[in-house]
Amino acid sequence: KQENTSALVEELNRVSAENKKLTEMLTMMCENYNSLRNQLA
Amino acid sequence: MDYSSYVDTSLDLNCKPNYSRDLYDAALPPPPPPPKKELESKFIDFGMKLGAKQENTSALVEELNRVSAENKKLTEMLTMMCENYNSLRNQLAEYMNKNPVEKELSPSKKRKSESSNNNSNNIITTNGNSESSSTDEESCKKPREEEPIKAKVWKTCVRTEATDTSLIVKDGYQWRKYGQKVTRDNPSPRAYFKCSFAPSCPVKKKVQRSVDDQSILVATYEGEHNHPQPSQMEATSGQNRGMALSSVPCSTNSISSSVGPNITLDFTKPKSGNDNTKSAKPARTESPDVRKFLVDQMASSLTKDPNFTAALAAAISGRIYQQKSS
């Protein structure tokens, strides 16, 4: 059970880090999209 | 002997109770081991903390599921965002590609328009009209064909016999009929002729009976003959012997679309001795000496004919008889 818990914690940490990266990428993508749209406008 | 130094009788139990803390604080170092005096109390608390660990694990799993679902949503949003971004970038690329193309095409369009203007100017200067055909053959042919047509248009009116329904005007030239159609403003058909005296003669003729008087043939000529004029004796012979060259205006409408000068000749009215302004040859025949000579010749020929004298006598006697009876 201890191993399972630690594995869960590790998995949670990994997913949280990935979530953070995805949020950063999405933010950057939104900025690029808005910039491109402004160029077209 | 004392064997206590060789055998370790301590249980050395360590329960590591750090899982009850914050789930994200997993990297914290474990607390120091409790002293051996408290082992018994620790054994009592062990069962209680085991149940708490199970609850924490379930919470951890729930948190992991929540973050995973959030991660999935973020991934989907990012995928959609990438698609939109790529689409927008393609649109921008197309727009950027079109602009240079338009900038490049504009000079060529200008060159084309300039060349077309030059061509049209050439056509206008060479042909004298605004037709846009630009092939070499047509540009070579049309000056020969259309310039004379536009150069001169004139109209003649010829009186014919009432029984004559043909659309033939004998004017001394040879004509080839190439068409006939019925116009809207006139019940009688209009015939189209082309001069066949010379193969290259561009003169055309339209013949149609007048709306007001069906016995009058209206002939419209277009162009100038490029060959010497044949004998004019035919013009004053046959059924059109009343034809004379005079400049009296005709009552029919003239062609309004013609560019060249319009000349209207009316051959329907009887000629008078004073109308000798336009034509030279009829003027010579209408001189007083010649007219007197012609009248004398006619009188002598009529008096010499016995049939004419008999018919004249019968007509006069019949006229006198009718006057007496009435």
Side-chain angles (χ1 to χ4, degrees):
Chain A
K1 287 181 180 178
Q2 288 180 4
E3 291 176 356
N4 289 334
T5 305
S6 63
L8 279 173
V9 171
E10 286 179 1
E11 182 69 13
L12 187 60
N13 289 332
R14 190 187 62 79
V15 174
S16 296
E18 190 177 356
N19 201 340
K20 190 179 178 182
K21 281 185 179 178
L22 283 170
T23 305
E24 289 176 0
M25 288 175 68
L26 190 60
T27 304
M28 187 181 67
M29 209 68 195
C30 284
E31 291 177 356
N32 292 335
Y33 182 83
N34 289 329
S35 173
L36 203 61
R37 194 175 59 181
N38 290 331
Q39 286 185 18
L40 269 177
Chain B
M1 290 181 64
D2 189 7
Y3 296 100
S4 59
S5 61
Y6 297 100
V7 179
D8 189 6
T9 57
S10 65
L11 294 174
D12 196 15
L13 295 173
N14 188 8
C15 62
K16 295 181 181 178
N18 59 336
Y19 290 107
S20 61
R21 296 182 181 178
D22 190 10
L23 293 172
Y24 293 98
D25 199 9
L28 291 176
K36 291 180 182 179
K37 295 178 181 176
E38 298 174 355
L39 285 177
E40 291 179 356
S41 61
K42 292 290 182 184
F43 274 117
I44 294 169
D45 295 335
F46 183 74
M48 297 173 66
K49 291 181 180 176
L50 192 64
K53 283 181 184 175
Q54 289 178 355
E55 291 179 359
N56 292 333
T57 304
S58 62
L60 197 63
V61 171
E62 286 179 1
E63 182 70 13
L64 184 62
N65 290 332
R66 188 186 63 81
V67 175
S68 295
E70 189 177 352
N71 198 347
K72 189 179 178 181
K73 284 183 180 178
L74 283 171
T75 306
E76 290 176 355
M77 288 175 67
L78 188 64
T79 304
M80 188 178 66
M81 201 71 203
C82 284
E83 290 177 357
N84 292 334
Y85 179 79
N86 289 328
S87 173
L88 198 64
R89 193 176 61 180
N90 290 331
Q91 290 182 12
L92 183 63
E94 289 178 1
Y95 179 76
M96 296 297 289
N97 288 330
K98 282 181 181 178
N99 282 336
V101 168
E102 289 179 357
K103 288 177 183 176
E104 290 174 1
L105 283 178
S106 56
S108 63
K109 283 181 180 177
K110 285 182 180 178
R111 284 195 297 271
K112 278 186 178 179
S113 62
E114 287 175 0
S115 62
S116 63
N117 287 333
N118 290 333
N119 289 333
S120 61
N121 288 334
N122 289 332
I123 290 171
I124 286 171
T125 53
T126 54
N127 291 355
N129 54 33
S130 62
E131 293 193 4
S132 61
S133 58
S134 60
T135 58
D136 293 338
E137 293 182 357
E138 288 175 348
S139 61
C140 292
K141 286 180 180 176
K142 286 192 174 179
R144 287 182 297 180
E145 292 180 356
E146 293 190 1
E147 270 188 355
I149 292 173
K150 296 281 184 179
K152 193 174 183 180
V153 176
W154 74 93
K155 188 179 288 186
T156 60
C157 300
V158 178
R159 183 176 293 278
T160 60
E161 295 177 1
T163 56
D164 188 11
T165 57
S166 65
L167 296 172
I168 297 172
V169 176
K170 292 187 176 180
D171 49 10
Y173 291 93
Q174 297 177 3
W175 299 95
R176 178 178 60 84
K177 185 178 179 181
Y178 66 92
Q180 181 171 323
K181 75 173 183 180
V182 178
T183 57
R184 212 183 311 173
D185 55 345
N186 197 336
S188 63
R190 179 191 294 166
Y192 294 88
F193 298 91
K194 192 176 186 306
C195 181
S196 61
F197 189 83
S200 62
C201 183
V203 180
K204 293 178 181 178
K205 180 174 72 170
K206 293 185 286 188
V207 180
Q208 191 174 24
R209 293 195 175 274
S210 175
V211 183
D212 301 328
D213 190 356
Q214 292 292 317
S215 63
I216 296 174
L217 279 174
V218 180
T220 306
Y221 296 85
E222 293 180 0
E224 273 183 307
H225 295 280
N226 58 0
H227 52 83
Q229 187 176 6
S231 170
Q232 287 189 344
M233 294 303 291
E234 291 183 36
T236 56
S237 65
Q239 58 187 354
N240 295 326
R241 58 181 170 269
M243 191 174 181
L245 292 175
S246 61
S247 61
V248 180
C250 185
S251 59
T252 56
N253 296 327
S254 61
I255 298 173
S256 60
S257 62
S258 60
V259 178
N262 290 339
I263 301 170
T264 302
L265 302 176
D266 193 352
F267 299 136
T268 60
K269 294 182 179 180
K271 63 181 182 180
S272 62
N274 296 328
D275 277 341
N276 54 0
T277 56
K278 284 286 179 180
S279 58
K281 288 182 180 178
R284 284 197 298 269
T285 57
E286 288 175 358
S287 62
D289 297 336
V290 175
R291 281 201 297 170
K292 187 177 180 181
F293 175 74
L294 287 175
V295 170
D296 292 340
Q297 286 287 329
M298 193 179 298
S300 62
S301 62
L302 287 174
T303 52
K304 286 178 183 176
D305 189 359
N307 294 329
F308 177 76
T309 53
L312 183 62
I316 292 172
S317 61
R319 184 75 174 173
I320 294 170
Y321 177 75
Q322 283 179 356
Q323 286 179 352
K324 284 182 178 178
S325 62
S326 63

